[in-house]
Amino acid sequence: MRCVIARYPFDLTKNGVLASMKGITPELVTGESVTIGRRRYPVKQVGQVITRQDPRDFTAGEVVRAMTRLGFTCHAQPEAAPVRAATPLQTASALLGAASLDA
């Protein structure tokens, strides 16, 4: 598939992207990401590997568009860990100065 990233044309294939990302350790995902194989990579890291360009030269949207057209699953934000809310009893106990029940 032909796509343009940072004003340069690239001929990308799904197998070519899989081969390029093989053996690459994913960086910490803080924004948009793409699942390649069993791993989840930041889109800027994927763009850097497949284009061999500086990540400042292209946008995440360009890489997301290309990866989606190739059939990879793209994610908008990292999945946040659920926040454990205190029960009313725990809140009242904390306000009265009791020890935390989590400890």
Side-chain angles (χ1 to χ4, degrees), residues 4 16 18 38 40 46 48 53 60 62 65 67 82 86-87:
V4 176
L18 287 168
R38 295 185 201 167
R40 197 164 170 180
V46 173
Q48 183 179 13
Q53 293 182 345
E62 291 174 312
R65 190 169 35 257
M67 295 298 105
T87 65

Side-chain angles (χ1 to χ4, degrees), residues 31-91:
E32 294 176 304
S33 62
V34 59
T35 301
I36 299 176
R38 295 185 201 167
R39 295 183 172 187
R40 197 164 170 180
Y41 297 89
V43 291
K44 288 284 200 167
Q45 181 184 12
V46 173
Q48 183 179 13
V49 171
I50 63 175
T51 66
R52 292 181 173 78
Q53 293 182 345
D54 191 289
R56 294 173 289 184
D57 293 341
F58 53 86
T59 66
E62 291 174 312
V63 179
V64 166
R65 190 169 35 257
M67 295 298 105
T68 301
R69 286 179 57 196
L70 286 173
F72 293 104
T73 304
C74 296
H75 310 277
Q77 293 291 328
E79 297 163 356
V83 177
R84 186 172 170 202
T87 65
L89 177 63
Q90 291 171 330
T91 304

